[in-house]
Amino acid sequence: FHAVALADGVKCSTGPSICINGPCYTSPQVTISGSGQSGQSVLHIDGSNNVTLQYITVSFGSLASNQGGGGVYFNGSGSLTLDTSVVSFNTAGYGGGIDFIGSGGNATLSLLANSLVLSNTALVDGGGVRMEGTSRFFALQDQSLIAFNHAANGHGGGLDLIAPARADVGSSGYNGLGVIYDNDAAYGGGVSLNDGGDNGSGVEAIARFFSTNAQKPVRISGNNATVGGGAMYLKPFLTTFPGGSASYAEACLFDFRIDDNNAPDGGAIY
């Protein structure tokens, strides 16, 4: 893509284009597209970096089933922050929208206000966002959304956590929609926590959901799973003790709503 240098504090654009279930907000006018570049993530970030995407749309990345991060691939330490930005209509094997791997140190992925992960597809796991390694996911501000993403053959339609990744979600969602809304997968239509085959003793995948706005509780709603866990699916790895090893899947929820989700087993949580 063509990179344009801007002075500090200068935004790419200020035109309205985020309009889902309500009023529009100042949002991306600069689109970075992977159309016609099959086999490459739209944005690929390695090493130690602190990157903020502001007023940007990342779309139409297309990867094979053994590749990760159709829209954004991050592998390293530091941070990636989405501020009034959209990751949409990307496809990959893992992390259709974003595949985020913490390695060589801690790494954080944050969704700020008016940041959306929409209509991405994982051919295996993590339709919207997939978190792995020493990584942590934050969605704490109102007007953020993970919605309409797909992982039909695997785990985590909206958000997929692989131990020891962690997530803290306190956003009240976007224009009346729950922060994790109308995603689908085989296991964990909204959220999946699993060990990923990790045999390290005491390794945990942890998700914490809590409200930051007393009038608008955090919600996981309208998600679907074809096997188990309409809203949330948790799968630990355990071996025989003593002398064995384990990884854990742990969800801690406080002042929350899980509603209108669907699955053959565990319509809400499996």
Side-chain angles (χ1 to χ4, degrees):
F1 64 92
H2 179 63
V4 179
L6 300 173
D8 287 347
V10 176
K11 299 176 176 61
C12 292
S13 183
T14 56
S17 66
I18 297 180
C19 308
I20 296 176
N21 201 45
C24 300
Y25 290 86
T26 301
S27 63
Q29 288 294 296
V30 173
T31 296
I32 305 175
S33 174
S35 181
Q37 299 295 320
S38 181
Q40 301 179 49
S41 302
V42 180
L43 294 177
H44 186 115
I45 303 167
D46 284 317
S48 179
N49 298 279
N50 293 291
V51 177
T52 296
L53 302 181
Q54 188 175 50
Y55 294 90
I56 297 291
T57 292
V58 179
S59 293
F60 302 114
S62 180
L63 300 181
S65 61
N66 64 339
Q67 295 176 294
V72 181
Y73 178 84
F74 185 108
N75 189 340
S77 61
S79 65
L80 174 64
T81 301
L82 274 63
D83 181 359
T84 316
S85 291
V86 179
V87 178
S88 60
F89 299 105
N90 301 284
T91 301
Y94 302 88
I98 302 172
D99 192 18
F100 194 90
I101 303 169
S103 61
N106 295 324
T108 61
L109 170 60
S110 301
L111 297 189
L112 304 187
N114 300 316
S115 292
L116 317 177
V117 180
L118 305 174
S119 301
N120 302 284
T121 299
L123 304 174
V124 186
D125 294 331
V129 177
R130 182 175 183 267
M131 304 291 296
E132 187 179 355
T134 54
S135 63
R136 195 161 182 179
F137 174 79
F138 295 98
L140 303 177
Q141 296 186 10
D142 288 356
Q143 297 301 107
S144 58
L145 181 67
I146 298 176
F148 317 125
N149 301 288
H150 315 284
N153 300 311
H155 297 78
L159 175 63
D160 186 33
L161 297 180
I162 311 298
R166 299 189 176 197
D168 289 275
V169 180
S171 171
S172 62
Y174 190 87
N175 289 353
L177 302 179
V179 60
I180 297 178
Y181 175 78
D182 197 10
N183 304 280
D184 63 82
Y187 304 88
V191 181
S192 175
L193 291 80
N194 63 86
D195 59 86
D198 193 313
N199 296 333
S201 178
V203 176
E204 294 181 279
I206 300 175
R208 302 191 300 179
F209 287 81
F210 49 90
S211 292
T212 57
N213 184 334
Q215 302 302 316
K216 300 177 181 178
V218 65
R219 294 171 60 207
I220 306 174
S221 59
N223 302 282
N224 295 276
T226 56
V227 180
M232 186 176 293
Y233 177 86
L234 294 88
K235 179 182 180 296
F237 174 89
L238 296 172
T239 60
T240 303
F241 284 87
S245 61
S247 63
Y248 304 93
E250 177 182 334
C252 178
L253 302 97
F254 180 80
D255 193 14
F256 66 95
R257 301 290 185 273
I258 293 180
D259 52 23
D260 197 29
N261 301 280
N262 182 66
D265 286 318
I269 301 173
Y270 184 95

